[in-house]
Amino acid sequence: MDETSEKTTPSRRTLIGWGGAGLALGAAAAGGITAVAQGREGVAPVGADGAAVPFHGPHQAGIATAVQDRLHFAAFDVKTKDRAELVRLLKDWTRAAERMTAGREVGEGAYGGLPEAPPDDTGEALGLGPSRLTLTIGFGPSLFDGRFGLADRRPAALVELPKFPGDNLDAARSGGDLCVQACADDPQVAVHAIRNLARIGFGKVAVRWSQLGFGKTSSTTPDAQTPRNLFGFKDGTRNIAGTDTGRLDEFVWVSGKDAGWMDGGSYLVARRIRMHIETWDRTPLTEQEDIFGRDKAEGAPVGKAKEHDEPFLKAMMPDSHVRLAHPDSNGGATILRRGYSFTDGTDGLGRLEAGLFFLAYQRDVRTGFVPVQTSLARNDALNEYTQHVGSAIFAIPPGVRNTDDWWGREMFA
């Protein structure tokens, strides 16, 4: 039955056990723009201003969507061993995501409920608007280890990434059974989303690691100004545009006779890359430009005048970043990037703990990220100034089609 059509609803405390309380989640209307609260008519939206990105569709939002300004990314370990409980969690998360991306409170809201129980919504996003919030879920290789009867559902493309030269990976900042990528134009909206999903999942999942990001370092909107990374260079000049359906179909979305439950999905590689800011800041400008293969002012490739001029790779240093990362140097391998800068204080030695949280979506990591990173890890001159310290890979399922659908439904079918 359609949740929004019921005239009576049970008490929210009888629906889902959650830290001694419960959670009744309403259903968002088609397109994710509006929603009707279940159990408390007339619940005010979180904010009336700001844009909302549609939640429903054949692909998850937050991939080809115009890149927002802020990120909160979280990887989770699943603690329950009950398949039905995991399915229930994914359904509850979906209903909460529908509401939050529409700019509405979770469940019965942050106030006005039973005074003896915690409210359903934590309340810090009240009045902030949707802020173009997108929530994107993924499933890590470890979820298919047999706990939930999913071993034979693991896609062939969901491979363990090889150890690349120079990697110094921290296990505590790598891997995960599940991930949720929250992107928004307001950092508090993104943090609110992850916080509330973690709260709903209490006792069933636990945050393994998380990362805040700012200053998008890649753009899916080519007519907008190209953002710069913490080294001061434009990043993502040749990124796949969110409107380029041809390239998205070729390089990002999974499809075809062997796609199975991943039809309409994608694969995500997340890498935490430490940037040695202080060393870079003492490097001469000419050397910086040679390392990247572009000038710092305009972002033009070597020997060219404008940022978007076609690069002449042979005019660049053999170990320049642009030359080694270019599809023509990697058999045509192409990925869609949605990375963000981060700063996490200092490292105890007076150096900034800062860098790039690299996010790359692709149709198959075996023909996307892996060959590109193999080339870069062996030869890139930029390696003197960077180090990969965290890593994860996730299968990103297709989008939620309507209010009866839920994240990962096809995988459990």
Side-chain angles (χ1 to χ4, degrees), residues 121 274 288 297 333 337 395:
D121 189 285
R274 174 81 182 274
Q288 290 183 2
R337 288 171 291 150

Side-chain angles (χ1 to χ4, degrees), residues 117-248:
D120 286 341
D121 189 285
T122 52
E124 73 274 21
L126 287 169
L128 294 181
S131 296
R132 293 200 300 130
L133 173 68
T134 56
L135 292 168
T136 313
I137 198 170
F139 306 130
S142 55
L143 190 67
F144 300 86
D145 59 5
R147 286 172 291 169
F148 307 106
L150 297 172
D152 62 347
R153 305 291 283 167
R154 177 174 173 173
L158 188 60
V159 297
E160 297 286 354
L161 295 176
K163 179 175 173 55
F164 299 100
D167 278 2
N168 185 25
L169 303 181
D170 180 357
R173 286 187 172 271
S174 300
D177 293 330
L178 305 171
C179 77
V180 179
Q181 171 195 281
C183 297
D185 289 330
D186 188 309
Q188 192 147 312
V189 171
V191 169
H192 167 265
I194 294 296
R195 177 182 176 185
N196 279 270
L197 293 181
R199 189 169 184 243
I200 293 168
F202 181 78
K204 303 182 245 336
V205 295
V207 175
R208 179 180 177 88
W209 55 269
S210 67
Q211 182 66 60
L212 294 171
F214 68 93
K216 58 188 178 185
T217 62
S218 296
S219 174
T220 55
T221 312
D223 55 348
Q225 180 174 336
T226 305
R228 294 179 183 268
N229 56 36
L230 289 182
F231 284 159
F233 279 76
K234 291 184 177 182
D235 203 344
T237 295
R238 299 179 61 84
N239 203 23
I240 299 174
T243 54
D244 191 341
T245 55
R247 296 186 76 206
L248 289 171

Side-chain angles (χ1 to χ4, degrees), residues 216-353:
K216 58 188 178 185
T217 62
S218 296
S219 174
T220 55
T221 312
D223 55 348
Q225 180 174 336
T226 305
R228 294 179 183 268
N229 56 36
L230 289 182
F231 284 159
F233 279 76
K234 291 184 177 182
D235 203 344
T237 295
R238 299 179 61 84
N239 203 23
I240 299 174
T243 54
D244 191 341
T245 55
R247 296 186 76 206
L248 289 171
D249 288 340
E250 182 178 1
F251 297 114
V252 178
W253 307 129
V254 178
S255 63
K257 63 179 182 179
D258 298 323
W261 65 266
M262 278 291 291
D263 189 20
S266 189
Y267 291 92
L268 169 65
V269 172
R271 303 278 283 187
R272 189 175 190 269
I273 305 173
R274 174 81 182 274
M275 297 168 73
H276 305 308
I277 301 294
E278 293 78 11
T279 304
W280 179 261
D281 290 344
R282 295 192 296 270
T283 302
L285 175 60
T286 299
E287 186 175 345
Q288 290 183 2
E289 293 181 332
D290 285 343
I291 289 170
F292 268 98
R294 291 183 179 273
D295 73 61
K296 200 168 189 176
E298 181 66 26
V302 172
K304 300 300 178 72
K306 300 295 183 182
E307 176 191 351
H308 294 281
D309 288 348
E310 189 68 25
F312 180 51
L313 299 183
K314 291 184 178 180
M316 302 176 183
M317 300 289 288
D319 58 355
S320 71
H321 183 73
V322 169
R323 179 170 179 171
L324 291 173
H326 196 279
D328 290 351
S329 300
N330 296 283
T334 302
I335 56 180
L336 184 153
R337 288 171 291 150
R338 286 185 64 95
Y340 287 81
S341 295
F342 70 85
T343 56
D344 292 335
T346 57
D347 63 1
L349 298 174
R351 300 173 301 194
L352 285 174
E353 178 72 33

Side-chain angles (χ1 to χ4, degrees), residues 54-61 63 253-254 261-266 396-402 405 410:
F55 180 78
H56 300 110
H59 313 295
Q60 289 195 66
I63 303 174
W253 307 129
V254 178
W261 65 266
M262 278 291 291
D263 189 20
S266 189
I396 307 300
V400 176
R401 304 301 179 117
N402 51 52
D405 200 3
E410 300 88 348

